[in-house]
């Protein structure tokens, strides 16, 4: 949180610290809106500040984020968010500037959503026996928002790039296509989070184009990408599979049964492109592994590792296979 707090105007910083209290290290989001109190979220808890944020404070915050140069952020403002030092992402809302009917940028910013990036080392290590069978298996990570999909992608990328000497797994070349600057949290092209030595990153590049670029130029063993969803993503995934490259990719969805109904995802799964499918669920904390499935949707976790949680709609993995965000 230190880099986030340093970015905030003094009065807002004081308010965030006072409102979060002892839970400051657990904060996942800080929402700042003009003429409204700050909002702090972690887990299932939302805390509301006591004072209203002023337009002047919002302007100060935007100046800090942009380093007093809107021009330098034009491309990011078109997408509605900015990545700052530490890999944290700031979502923005305000007056949209149009040019020929297309979004040119944002001005008069009135809402900020600061999402805290925390790298959780080791959360994916228990997955390794299921994802590595002589080579890394192409894997689809499914979950609703804030279930830890990106956290798992980061740690899987770190493990692949670093290797695992205890399991006799050598370090492999990993290509991260980071369209939203969220997986690696790059600032000026430099990742703000920790990976192994054998990682190459395309920052701010659309997934389909980025995957094709990596295939042609970097010869990766594995490609990592976040949140596929466009028709052109299918062609890029197929190209990678045909080139013998494994993929670890996330998709928004409640579970396998829901995403298999989407024609694009259905095509990729039914062709056997993903050998492992991980379902994530959020209950009292994000990052709970609900199921690990094979390409036909059958469970690959032994039944003894599964237990029923009364608050959940399905099985959750016991402590030994349970990852979580801080």
């Amino acid at each position: 949180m230190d880099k986030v707090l340093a970015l905030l105007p003094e009065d807002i910083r004081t308010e965030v610290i006072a409102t979060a209290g002892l839970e400051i290290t657990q904060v996942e989001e800080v929402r700042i809106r003009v003429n409204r109190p700050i909002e702090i979220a972690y887990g299932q808890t939302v805390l509301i500040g006591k004072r209203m944020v002023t337009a002047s404070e919002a302007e100060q915050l935007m100046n800090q984020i942009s380093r007093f140069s809107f021009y330098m952020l034009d491309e990011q403002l078109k997408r509605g968010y900015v990545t700052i030092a530490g890999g944290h992402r700031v979502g923005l809302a305000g007056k949209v500037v149009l040019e020929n009917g297309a979004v040119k940028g944002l001005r008069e910013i009135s809402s900020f959503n600061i999402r805290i990036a925390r790298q959780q080392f080791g959360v994916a290590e228990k997955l390794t026996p299921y994802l590595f069978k002589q080579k890394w298996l192409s894997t689809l990570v499914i979950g609703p928002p804030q279930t830890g999909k990106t956290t798992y992608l980061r740690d899987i990328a770190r493990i692949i790039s670093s290797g695992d000497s205890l399991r006799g797994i050598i370090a492999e070349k990993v290509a991260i296509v980071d369209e939203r600057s969220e997986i690696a949290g790059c600032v000026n092209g430099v990742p703000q989070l920790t990976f192994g030595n054998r990682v190459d990153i395309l920052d701010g590049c659309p997934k389909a184009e980025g995957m094709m670029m990596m295939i042609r130029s970097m010869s990766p063993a594995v490609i990592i990408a976040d949140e596929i969803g466009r028709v052109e993503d299918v062609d890029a995934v197929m190209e990678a599979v045909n080139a013998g490259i494994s993929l670890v990719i996330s998709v928004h969805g409640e579970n396998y049964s829901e995403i298999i109904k989407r024609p694009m995802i259905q095509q990729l799964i039914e062709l056997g492109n993903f050998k492992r499918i991980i379902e994530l669920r959020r209950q009292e904390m994000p990052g709970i592994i609900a199921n690990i499935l094979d390409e036909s949707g059958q469970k690959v976790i032994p039944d003894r590792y599964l237990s029923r949680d009364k608050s959940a709609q399905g099985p959750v993995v016991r402590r030994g296979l349970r990852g979580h965000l801080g």
Side-chain angles (χ1 to χ4, degrees), residues 158 161-162 171-172 195-200:
R158 180 190 63 81
S161 176
S162 303
E172 301 261 24
F195 298 94
N197 294 325
R198 307 197 71 188
V199 64
D200 302 294

Side-chain angles (χ1 to χ4, degrees), residues 29 34 72-73 131 150 152 204 210 216-217 272 292 303 315 321 324:
E29 286 188 351
V34 173
M72 296 294 291
L73 295 179
L131 305 188
T150 303
Y152 275 102
R216 289 192 295 264
S217 63
I292 302 176
D303 288 342
L321 282 174
H324 62 86

